[in-house]
Amino acid sequence: MASIENRVHTRSQYFLIKDHDEAVPIYAFREADDLAAIPALVVNMSDGGVQVLTTVSAELSQRVFDLELVVGEALQGGIESLEVHLVWSRPDGVNVRSGFVFAPSNAPHLEWATVLSGAPHHVLRCVLHPKPND
């Protein structure tokens, strides 16, 4: 058996989303050595927060995360990671949809919303990095 088949911590997550009544497969990844990171998808964003899809197996036991956008090119504003606070989670088909608010000291960069609106299927790959609970 190859070592890849013996992985305890997966590096990628598979999502099947609906876009215009069509099922679209999307993969999200994390760094191989960052075992606590959670690959996810940004599906909605406002001035105050963001909604993220994770798999049912992803454990959101922390309340505070650094949300890192995974985009092909660096964002012009240079802000690719912001602190977010978990507010709610609920099942969303085979996934879990969670709502986060941006940390009070962080305001989302307008470029994030622009990138999301122009992204294929209006989703962005991201990684949630848990921060210790205070």
Side-chain angles (χ1 to χ4, degrees):
M1 189 178 280
S3 63
I4 196 165
E5 295 172 10
N6 291 327
R7 285 187 182 157
V8 174
H9 303 282
T10 58
R11 269 191 77 213
S12 65
Q13 293 296 333
Y14 171 79
F15 296 92
L16 191 61
I17 64 162
K18 281 200 151 205
D19 187 18
H20 297 92
D21 295 327
E22 179 182 340
V24 178
I26 297 179
Y27 285 90
F29 301 88
R30 66 162 174 80
E31 294 293 327
D33 60 346
D34 192 355
L35 300 180
I38 301 167
L41 297 177
V42 172
V43 293
N44 196 354
M45 187 178 308
S46 70
D47 290 340
V50 63
Q51 291 182 14
V52 173
L53 281 185
T54 57
T55 63
V56 171
S57 63
E59 176 110 10
L60 296 180
S61 57
Q62 302 295 105
R63 303 306 293 168
V64 181
F65 296 83
D66 280 329
L67 186 147
E68 176 187 4
L69 288 185
V70 179
V71 292
E73 299 178 14
L75 296 177
Q76 289 178 356
I79 302 173
E80 295 173 346
S81 179
L82 288 176
E83 184 177 299
V84 294
H85 298 251
L86 180 64
V87 178
W88 55 266
S89 288
R90 64 174 162 81
D92 187 340
V94 297
N95 301 308
V96 174
R97 182 180 293 247
S98 300
F100 295 86
V101 294
F102 294 110
S105 60
N106 288 334
H109 198 276
L110 281 178
E111 192 174 3
W112 279 35
T114 303
V115 171
L116 178 62
S117 67
H121 314 294
H122 300 289
V123 298
L124 290 174
R125 290 175 179 88
C126 69
V127 179
L128 292 168
H129 299 279
K131 295 181 84 169
N133 288 330
D134 293 332

